[in-house]
């Protein structure tokens, strides 16, 4: 997940689940509560089909994703997309982005000192 920014905070919601609260900048800075797991492209489609809004993390908060913002800009390593939180409904593992792979280094050189 993207590094924490000053515009949002992580907390346990009243239902006990971990959530992220951020400001929806374009909607008069209304607080938005999202589940903190980045979505895969398929996960975003499933979240939208389930009636959840999706948001992209930006440097100033989050931005609601509509058809124009989704097209040609799928979730991935450079585009972190989160789903709106719903109490009692956990984001399925199949909706989440896989964790980033650790780079494989085949460095056989010894340190010169």
């Amino acid at each position: 997940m993207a590094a924490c920014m000053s515009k949002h905070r992580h907390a346990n919601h009243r239902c006990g689940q971990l959530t992220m609260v951020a400001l929806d900048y374009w909607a008069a800075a209304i607080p938005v509560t999202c589940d903190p797991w980045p979505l895969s492209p398929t996960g975003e489609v499933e979240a939208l089909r389930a009636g959840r809004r999706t948001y992209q993390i930006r440097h100033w908060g989050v931005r609601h994703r509509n058809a124009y913002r989704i097209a040609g800009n799928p979730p991935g390593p450079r585009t972190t997309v989160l789903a709106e939180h719903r109490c009692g409904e956990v984001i399925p593992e199949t909706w989440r982005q896989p964790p980033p792979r650790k780079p494989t280094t085949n460095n056989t050189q010894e340190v010169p000192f």
Side-chain angles (χ1 to χ4, degrees):
M1 184 170 21
C4 286
M5 301 168 288
S6 62
K7 305 281 191 296
H8 75 261
R9 63 184 172 86
H10 296 269
N12 284 330
H13 198 255
R14 61 180 166 256
C15 63
Q17 293 180 336
L18 183 65
T19 61
M20 186 184 91
V21 179
L23 297 176
D24 186 354
Y25 182 79
W26 297 112
I30 295 172
V32 174
T33 304
C34 298
D35 287 318
W37 297 281
L39 297 175
S40 66
T42 304
E44 183 175 21
V45 171
E46 292 299 324
L48 293 168
R49 290 184 64 203
R52 293 185 187 212
R53 293 183 181 123
T54 57
Y55 297 90
Q56 180 180 352
I57 293 181
R58 307 293 290 183
H59 64 279
W60 38 256
V62 294
R63 173 187 266 177
H64 177 257
R65 287 175 56 91
N66 57 24
Y68 299 105
R69 293 188 182 113
I70 293 171
N73 193 16
R78 298 186 69 169
T79 306
T80 303
V81 176
L82 304 174
E84 173 182 44
H85 175 71
R86 286 196 182 158
C87 292
E89 296 181 23
V90 179
I91 295 286
E93 292 287 332
T94 56
W95 292 12
R96 300 179 189 178
Q97 272 187 15
R101 295 182 185 180
K102 292 184 178 178
T104 58
T105 57
N106 297 328
N107 187 358
T108 58
Q109 297 177 354
E110 292 186 25
V111 179
F113 49 88

